[in-house]
Amino acid sequence: MISVGSANGAPGGGQGHSGESASLAWNFSQVFGERMSGEEIQEVDIISAIEFDKTGDHLATGDRGGRVVLFDRSDDKELVLLQLKNRKELEKADHSIPRHPEYRYSTEFQSHEPEFDYLKSLEIEEKINKIRWCHTANGARFVLSTNDKTIKLWKITEKKVKRVTKLNVETPEPLGPKKASLIHNVAQNFEIPPGGIPSLHLPKVSCTETAPFARCRRVYANAHTYHINSISNNSDCETYISADDLRINLWNMEISDLSFNIVDIKPANMEDLTEVITSAEFHPSHCNTLAYSSSKGTIRLIDMRQSALCDRHAILFEEQEAPATRSFFTEIVASISDIKFSRSGRYILSRDYMTLKLWDVNMNASPVVSFKVHEYLRPKLCDLYENDSLFDKFECCLSGDGLRVATGSYSNLFRVFGVTPGSDEATTLECTKTPNRRQAQTPSRFSRFPALSRGRRRGEENGGSGAASGSEMNGSYDFSSKLLHLAWHPCANLIACAASNSLYMYYA
């Protein structure tokens, strides 16, 4: 068994936070692409991926139309200081700087186009499945984006914009037919005097500003038979992995025509297939360690130093369910849709359809803490199965300090939970300009900290199983409005959420 991260057992990014932490008060910050009342949403505009870079200064989104949109932080302190004109304003700078990150639109580019696989007679959608920021080099930023089959590496640089300046005349106004004919007659009879025209000079080309420019550097194609569901950068800044339903491949950033298969769960007979890979993620600091989840609700931690083909896991994370509670839907709702490492690498956050779980990599018997996000939907599983909502893939994220986790839900709601021992923080927010419009009760949560719970489920103390917002308990949830994608700023309490074609940001 391998040990990853610090020896401290309390969640909080390995920093050893303990005791109760105050609940955060969340406020609306910004919205991009806000939907107007009665406006019809185009399918290609729906956001399908969100990712902050490691510094939090840049944000990238991908949509179903194959486009990647970039945002830059606009409240940078150095930029504000450059705008100050005198010393008095400089002395007041500490009070005038915004207290939470704000962003502005930077640029966008078409990453993928729809394609057709003639060998399999299949149409390949342009939808962006995942986006990952890579390390910067020589002032340039790099972004990995993927659709179902093809991964691309994009280089974003600041390109100087050339403009023609010092013209001889101002921009002319639209000419009428009489004035145009008069100028034409004058031009025909015009002669340059012997001494020339002293006031006439040549225009100049000058570079007064810069604009971001994206260029495709690498195309990694023809390596996956099934749809790509994950890409993840390695901490060595040289390699990354891509995962589909049955295989995980290891790539070198500089080599686009060769990859190494490191995980292969495809059986010799496809009739013996019992599970598929749903998500994969590299450890944030150990370049030899990665984790992947499956449709059976398990997480496997593998060490690439053990063998070239990692067909045996180092650690298996699995929570056993009592046989008496199993049903037709048990395996469907147990399928893990997303996993994330904490910043320290000590914890793994996983999201299945019903719950959000936090695992300690040194304790694989059961999760450290579990939150019942969709327990109120358990009586509706038959209806959810019939309309395919049961197969929705919700993402999850952790705060930079590891003290809180978040995930999405239906009716454009998302939930934020505190994970430190003794914390009862559980906030339900709506993805609108008034996020606190819906008052929520504490969702069902049970903890497995031995010193706190002694085997008891904390949810039983706060309203039983699966309390949710009032409108949800009354059955007025909207399955067509689902918040699948969200990301937490790496250094601040700021969450970016995708509600259809709109990008909302909230700070605390």
Side-chain angles (χ1 to χ4, degrees):
M1 182 186 242
I2 63 176
S3 176
V4 182
S6 65
N8 196 308
Q15 299 174 14
H17 294 273
S18 61
E20 295 187 14
S21 57
S23 298
L24 297 179
W26 291 91
N27 301 282
F28 169 78
S29 175
Q30 290 176 281
V31 59
F32 296 93
E34 183 181 10
R35 180 186 178 187
M36 304 303 293
S37 179
E39 180 183 358
E40 183 178 354
I41 299 177
Q42 301 296 324
E43 181 77 12
V44 295
D45 294 332
I46 296 177
I47 298 174
S48 56
I50 305 178
E51 181 78 5
F52 282 103
D53 74 336
K54 288 185 177 181
T55 64
D57 293 337
H58 307 285
L59 173 67
T61 65
D63 60 27
R64 295 187 181 181
R67 292 165 298 191
V68 173
V69 183
L70 304 181
F71 301 88
D72 294 337
R73 186 166 175 174
S74 60
D75 64 317
D76 186 55
K77 189 170 184 177
E78 292 181 359
L79 294 177
V80 176
L81 292 178
L82 289 174
Q83 297 174 357
L84 299 178
K85 297 180 179 179
N86 53 51
R87 185 172 180 177
K88 290 184 178 180
E89 291 181 352
L90 185 64
E91 293 173 351
K92 297 178 181 179
D94 291 338
H95 302 281
S96 62
I97 304 301
R99 67 178 183 274
H100 64 275
E102 293 181 353
Y103 292 82
R104 58 177 173 82
Y105 169 84
S106 176
T107 187
E108 66 180 87
F109 54 90
Q110 188 70 33
S111 175
H112 289 73
E113 300 282 354
E115 301 175 15
F116 191 81
D117 189 339
Y118 293 97
L119 294 178
K120 298 183 179 180
S121 297
L122 292 176
E123 185 179 352
I124 303 174
E125 294 182 347
E126 66 270 33
K127 171 191 169 187
I128 304 297
N129 291 339
K130 292 291 180 180
I131 295 178
R132 290 292 181 266
W133 288 93
C134 306
H135 68 286
T136 59
N138 299 324
R141 293 166 283 155
F142 294 87
V143 173
L144 278 173
S145 62
T146 182
N147 64 352
D148 289 338
K149 296 292 183 181
T150 305
I151 307 166
K152 294 184 180 182
L153 176 66
W154 293 88
K155 180 180 181 180
I156 298 95
T157 55
E158 295 292 329
K159 187 177 181 180
K160 293 182 179 180
V161 179
K162 295 181 179 180
R163 298 183 183 275
V164 179
T165 59
K166 296 185 177 181
L167 300 175
N168 291 282
V169 294
E170 299 293 336
T171 304
E173 298 179 357
L175 302 176
K178 293 183 178 180
K179 194 171 184 180
S181 61
L182 179 62
I183 294 177
H184 178 70
N185 294 332
V186 172
Q188 285 184 334
N189 301 325
F190 179 77
E191 294 182 0
I192 299 177
I197 304 176
S199 61
L200 187 66
H201 57 270
L202 289 175
K204 291 185 178 180
V205 178
S206 60
C207 300
T208 57
E209 59 183 15
T210 60
F213 175 75
R215 182 166 63 94
C216 186
R217 289 292 308 275
R218 300 277 190 278
V219 177
Y220 312 90
N222 305 319
H224 286 276
T225 305
Y226 307 95
H227 290 177
I228 300 172
N229 55 48
S230 302
I231 52 176
S232 179
N233 296 323
N234 199 344
S235 58
D236 62 8
C237 300
E238 295 181 357
T239 58
Y240 74 93
I241 56 171
S242 59
D244 63 22
D245 292 340
L246 299 179
R247 294 185 178 94
I248 299 177
N249 293 337
L250 178 68
W251 299 83
N252 187 292
M253 289 281 190
E254 301 299 324
I255 304 174
S256 60
D257 58 353
L258 179 65
S259 65
F260 298 94
N261 179 227
I262 58 174
V263 175
D264 189 348
I265 65 171
K266 183 180 180 180
N269 186 358
M270 287 297 287
E271 293 181 358
D272 298 331
L273 182 66
T274 58
E275 62 180 334
V276 296
I277 299 171
T278 57
S279 183
E281 184 96 354
F282 258 123
H283 189 278
S285 57
H286 294 185
C287 62
N288 58 282
T289 306
L290 64 95
Y292 70 91
S293 60
S294 78
S295 57
K296 275 193 169 182
T298 62
I299 302 174
R300 291 175 172 86
L301 199 68
I302 62 176
D303 190 341
M304 294 192 297
R305 297 172 298 184
Q306 292 181 344
S307 62
L309 182 63
C310 303
D311 51 354
R312 293 184 180 180
H313 54 265
I315 306 176
L316 175 67
F317 302 90
E318 182 178 13
E319 186 176 23
Q320 299 292 338
E321 187 168 354
T325 62
R326 295 184 64 85
S327 67
F328 171 78
F329 303 106
T330 299
E331 288 191 5
I332 300 177
V333 300
S335 177
I336 296 176
S337 56
D338 190 27
I339 60 171
K340 293 287 193 307
F341 272 101
S342 65
R343 196 170 186 176
S344 66
R346 173 66 186 271
Y347 298 94
I348 300 176
L349 181 67
S350 68
R351 170 68 203 267
D352 56 48
Y353 188 79
M354 304 297 291
T355 61
L356 184 66
K357 298 175 182 177
L358 186 69
W359 298 83
D360 188 334
V361 298
N362 296 328
M363 186 178 68
N364 64 333
S366 62
V368 173
V369 64
S370 179
F371 302 95
K372 295 186 176 182
V373 180
H374 280 165
E375 189 65 24
Y376 62 92
L377 293 176
R378 193 170 291 277
K380 301 282 186 179
L381 291 182
C382 288
D383 297 333
L384 294 168
Y385 178 78
E386 290 179 359
N387 63 18
D388 288 339
S389 295
L390 202 59
F391 302 97
D392 289 333
K393 307 299 181 183
F394 292 94
E395 294 182 359
C396 57
C397 59
L398 299 94
S399 61
D401 55 15
L403 299 179
R404 294 170 180 85
V405 296
T407 189
S409 183
Y410 293 106
S411 301
N412 280 342
L413 300 177
F414 67 99
R415 296 190 166 97
V416 181
F417 304 101
V419 299
T420 53
S423 172
D424 288 326
E425 180 178 1
T427 308
T428 301
L429 302 165
E430 185 177 11
C431 202
T432 62
K433 287 186 175 180
T434 54
N436 299 296
R437 183 171 60 180
R438 300 194 181 191
Q439 297 297 326
Q441 301 178 15
T442 303
S444 179
R445 160 192 173 148
F446 64 91
S447 172
R448 294 188 183 274
F449 289 112
L452 296 174
S453 62
R454 295 187 177 91
R456 294 181 62 189
R457 294 191 175 190
R458 293 185 58 84
E460 297 171 356
E461 301 172 4
N462 296 314
S465 61
S469 64
S471 61
E472 291 167 343
M473 294 178 68
N474 296 331
S476 59
Y477 26 75
D478 183 6
F479 294 123
S480 62
S481 301
K482 41 196 165 189
L483 202 155
L484 302 176
H485 311 286
L486 74 171
W488 201 305
H489 191 284
C491 308
N493 286 321
L494 182 136
I495 299 178
C497 307
S500 295
N501 64 327
S502 303
L503 178 65
Y504 286 85
M505 296 187 189
Y506 302 92
Y507 73 93

